[in-house]
Structure formats: structure tokens, C-alpha cells
Amino acid sequence: PAAPIRRPFPASHLRPAAGADRLFVGRLHPAAVAVLGGLIRAASASVQVIISTQSVGLVNQMEAADVMVVEKQDGQSVF
């Protein structure tokens, strides 16, 4: 059976969500990455935005407090 999802925040704090899994921005011009970061920040004002990426450039467009790193340890997601 699948492990239950552990929420780092109470459900009352969650908003409608938008997501992108493995968002690849490696071939985008750095200026386009900055624009994409701005669009994500703007969208996050009204919905919870969840993305996964390995793009340092995109993560650098966000405030540290707005980034959550999730790692896998012993088959479990660790926040």
C-alpha cells in the first residue's frame, strides 16, 4: 500500500493548485527563465503552484522561503 501523503501545512492553508512535473528550462534563454519565474510568482498569488525542476536558474528566481525541497529517504518523502 502507498504511504499516506504528509502535508507540511494544515489543509486549511492550501489553495487551489497548479503544477508542472519536471519542468525543463535548460534550453531557454536566461531572460526567458526570468520571465517564467515572474509568471510563476504571479500565478502563486492566486493558486498554490507546485513544480519540480532541476533548473538552478529557475529556483534562483524564487524567494528562499517559497521553495520547498523534498528528498526521498528510505522510500519516504522528507520535507
Side-chain angles (χ1 to χ4, degrees), residues 9 51 53 58-70:
F9 306 105
I51 63 169
T53 186
L58 182 58
V59 172
N60 285 342
Q61 298 298 315
M62 308 300 153
E63 296 293 327
D66 296 332
V67 176
M68 178 181 292
V69 176
V70 180

Side-chain angles (χ1 to χ4, degrees), residues 3-26:
I5 297 174
R6 289 183 274 149
R7 291 190 174 119
F9 306 105
S12 61
H13 288 37
L14 298 179
R15 301 176 295 188
D21 185 29
R22 299 183 194 150
L23 187 60
F24 181 72
V25 297

Side-chain angles (χ1 to χ4, degrees), residues 23 25 28-45 49 51 55 57-63 66:
L23 187 60
V25 297
L28 288 180
H29 187 278
V33 174
V35 170
L36 179 59
L39 292 171
I40 291 170
R41 285 192 314 277
S44 72
V49 178
I51 63 169
S55 171
L58 182 58
V59 172
N60 285 342
Q61 298 298 315
M62 308 300 153
E63 296 293 327
D66 296 332

